[in-house]
Amino acid sequence: MMMAFRPPLGWNSWNTFGDKISDALIREMADYMVSHGYRDAGYEYLVIDDCWSLRDRDAAGRLVPDPEKFPHGMKDLADYVHAKGLKFGMYSCAGVMTCAGYPSSYDHEFTDAETFASWGVDFLKYDFCNFPETGDCRTRYQTMSMALKSTGRDILFSACNWGQKDPWTWMRSAGAHMYRSTGDIMDNYVSFTDIFKSQLKNLSMSANGCFNDMDMLTVGMGGKGNVGFGKVCTYEEYRMQFALWCLCGVPLMMGADLRNLAPEYEALMKHPDLLRINQDEECRPPYPIRMGAVFTGNPDPKEGEMPWRSIPDSSYTLFRHLSGGEFALAFINFSEAETVIHLEMVDLGLPVASGFALRVKDVFTSEDLGRKSDYFNPKVPGHDMKLYLCRLEKANG
Ligand code: GLA
């Protein structure tokens, strides 16, 4: 079975817990992923990030789990996670030390890969801190890729070099299944919208087998935890983050403490239509239509005038082809003010003369808005978005 046929889904310890990780925490999170239906919704990987090991390797040169944090060792924990029907992920780094200063895998790639495989690891996040200046980044990711393959175990390779050397152009050929394309996400609106804007143009190489990783979600964290800097997001802002990650078809690694998550965020991250868009097997990136087109209020202006004016970067309109004749259509308002965004259907390939319209369903409310042809002007509150699922229908059928 191919790994990462669709964007990987799971949970990672870093965003909330940083170095405050333990065997008990991971077991509880595994229990929650099952009892709260995350596993059944498709979230599969439970990943321990940095700070799990001792500061020194053992006499045989192997990484050693910190016995205070992980008193039963990693194999025992992996067995527990597997018994819950989940997959077990761990973390190392391509440099000489991890970002938090623990031993990492530069020149230990094959030994460490074997250690991870012997513990039953299914997923390796592979970071980029403390990478020697003389080292070659591509070669070292390729080396870990080969080391993981040498174990004979299916281990999903989650490369994390923060977008250095344009990973979207080579990580697929180096055998990675996903690659971090930006610096670290912080739990605020500016951070996640910047990540999204920077990666939209890089998504055409993100598809079956190897995905652009726009970083772990902060949805529902509410400023608590390890990456809580800046203004706390509103519900609508978190909904935007989740919907953008779904629209982009990138991995969804939850970062919040699932044990203390408000029910609206739990529902959001299990939303069937959003997950269906994220997991669409054709893996097409969204198609940007017209950026920053604000409706003037008059759909039928005088000769030489337009029904919209351009405010660059204020809003994006994106259209995504899905399998089975469906489409996703998003209107994203990055400004603080409520805005009526203007879409001419001809700009998404549907001139009036075609005789076809789009039947439009609001993903967040499930409301059927009927058929849209010619133009479409949804009103979008500030820092919010509209997301529609659409199908082609005869305009006058
Ligand atoms: C880097 C990564 C983060 C996290 C930390 C751990 O900053 O980008 O995602 O893994 O290291 O130290």
Side-chain angles (χ1 to χ4, degrees), residues 12 14-15 18-19 49-51 91-93 98-102 125-129 160-162 180 182-186 213 215-216 226-227:
N12 174 300
W14 182 253
N15 279 359
D19 66 351
D49 208 281
D50 204 351
C51 311
Y91 165 100
S92 187
C93 176
T98 73
C99 298
Y102 293 84
K125 175 172 168 183
Y126 203 51
D127 216 337
F128 196 53
C129 276
C160 173
N161 82 334
W162 323 312
R180 269 277 297 285
T182 70
D184 291 13
I185 197 167
M186 297 292 138
D213 171 8
D215 209 348
M216 287 95 65
N226 200 34
V227 295

Side-chain angles (χ1 to χ4, degrees), residues 312-362:
D313 219 33
S314 62
S315 65
Y316 286 11
T317 302
L318 302 173
F319 187 66
R320 179 172 168 191
H321 288 252
L322 302 169
S323 52
E326 260 188 316
F327 309 93
L329 175 60
F331 296 85
I332 307 147
N333 182 2
F334 293 116
S335 77
E336 285 182 6
E338 180 177 275
T339 303
V340 180
I341 300 176
H342 184 71
L343 168 68
E344 312 237 349
M345 303 299 264
V346 66
D347 289 338
L348 56 75
L350 217 51
V352 177
S354 69
F356 282 90
L358 282 184
R359 178 149 213 125
V360 171
K361 183 184 106 170
D362 187 319

Side-chain angles (χ1 to χ4, degrees), residues 70-386:
F70 296 97
H72 310 292
M74 288 302 176
K75 174 80 174 68
D76 195 75
L77 184 53
D79 289 347
Y80 185 86
V81 170
H82 290 150
K84 292 270 164 187
L86 296 166
K87 293 194 167 138
F88 184 60
M90 288 193 67
Y91 165 100
S92 187
C93 176
V96 293
M97 266 191 316
T98 73
C99 298
Y102 293 84
S104 77
S105 300
Y106 191 88
D107 275 350
H108 298 270
E109 288 92 344
F110 282 78
T111 308
D112 292 352
E114 205 220 313
T115 303
F116 290 130
S118 74
W119 290 339
V121 167
D122 308 297
F123 177 113
L124 181 69
K125 175 172 168 183
Y126 203 51
D127 216 337
F128 196 53
C129 276
N130 304 305
F131 192 76
E133 269 178 30
T134 50
D136 179 315
C137 165
R138 293 180 199 219
T139 309
R140 288 296 167 153
Y141 278 90
Q142 171 72 11
T143 306
M144 187 44 106
S145 198
M146 297 301 281
L148 293 174
K149 293 260 164 86
S150 77
T151 68
R153 187 176 171 84
D154 276 347
I155 301 179
L156 190 150
F157 186 25
S158 168
C160 173
N161 82 334
W162 323 312
Q164 303 285 307
K165 301 199 183 296
D166 300 346
W168 39 90
T169 65
W170 57 274
M171 273 296 191
R172 172 178 290 271
S173 53
H177 298 99
M178 54 196 262
Y179 49 88
R180 269 277 297 285
S181 48
T182 70
D184 291 13
I185 197 167
M186 297 292 138
D187 185 16
N188 65 61
Y189 174 80
V190 175
S191 173
F192 82 78
T193 51
D194 279 356
I195 289 177
F196 163 74
K197 288 176 185 173
S198 74
Q199 291 315 302
L200 187 55
K201 62 181 186 312
N202 296 330
L203 292 174
S204 58
M205 287 301 290
S206 175
N208 313 89
C210 183
F211 293 89
N212 187 315
D213 171 8
M214 301 196 329
D215 209 348
M216 287 95 65
L217 298 160
T218 65
V219 173
M221 287 180 59
K224 293 195 203 82
N226 200 34
V227 295
F229 299 96
K231 198 159 165 250
V232 173
C233 290
T234 63
Y235 171 75
E236 286 74 17
E237 289 170 344
Y238 278 136
R239 183 174 67 182
M240 181 193 279
Q241 180 187 130
F242 192 72
L244 291 180
W245 266 228
C246 288
L247 190 65
C248 290
V250 293
L252 302 175
M253 301 301 289
M254 300 180 290
D257 183 351
L258 302 178
R259 302 166 307 173
N260 295 304
L261 193 61
E264 63 269 29
Y265 295 118
E266 186 174 325
L268 177 65
M269 292 197 282
K270 291 191 297 198
H271 193 297
D273 281 343
L274 287 168
L275 290 175
R276 195 158 58 81
I277 293 170
N278 175 265
Q279 295 283 294
D280 190 79
E281 63 184 6
E282 289 188 8
C283 299
R284 297 183 193 279
Y287 175 77
I289 300 179
R290 183 172 282 154
M291 313 305 234
V294 177
F295 186 47
T296 58
N298 179 6
D300 210 7
K302 286 190 290 206
E303 176 95 32
E305 288 178 8
M306 302 300 267
W308 54 277
R309 65 198 158 89
S310 172
I311 305 182
D313 219 33
S314 62
S315 65
Y316 286 11
T317 302
L318 302 173
F319 187 66
R320 179 172 168 191
H321 288 252
L322 302 169
S323 52
E326 260 188 316
F327 309 93
L329 175 60
F331 296 85
I332 307 147
N333 182 2
F334 293 116
S335 77
E336 285 182 6
E338 180 177 275
T339 303
V340 180
I341 300 176
H342 184 71
L343 168 68
E344 312 237 349
M345 303 299 264
V346 66
D347 289 338
L348 56 75
L350 217 51
V352 177
S354 69
F356 282 90
L358 282 184
R359 178 149 213 125
V360 171
K361 183 184 106 170
D362 187 319
V363 170
F364 301 146
T365 65
S366 297
E367 189 190 352
D368 182 350
L369 301 186
R371 295 188 193 118
K372 302 287 174 193
S373 58
D374 197 359
Y375 63 91
F376 183 17
N377 298 122
K379 186 189 282 182
V380 189
H383 287 198
D384 201 354
M385 67 186 273
K386 297 279 180 191

Side-chain angles (χ1 to χ4, degrees), residues 36-93:
H36 281 241
Y38 293 102
R39 181 195 63 190
D40 292 347
Y43 294 91
E44 195 179 14
Y45 292 97
L46 176 45
V47 182
I48 304 175
D49 208 281
D50 204 351
C51 311
W52 58 266
S53 78
L54 285 180
R55 299 270 174 190
D56 292 304
R57 291 174 179 268
D58 69 10
R62 297 201 175 252
L63 295 167
V64 187
D66 182 331
E68 283 189 13
K69 292 176 181 167
F70 296 97
H72 310 292
M74 288 302 176
K75 174 80 174 68
D76 195 75
L77 184 53
D79 289 347
Y80 185 86
V81 170
H82 290 150
K84 292 270 164 187
L86 296 166
K87 293 194 167 138
F88 184 60
M90 288 193 67
Y91 165 100
S92 187
C93 176

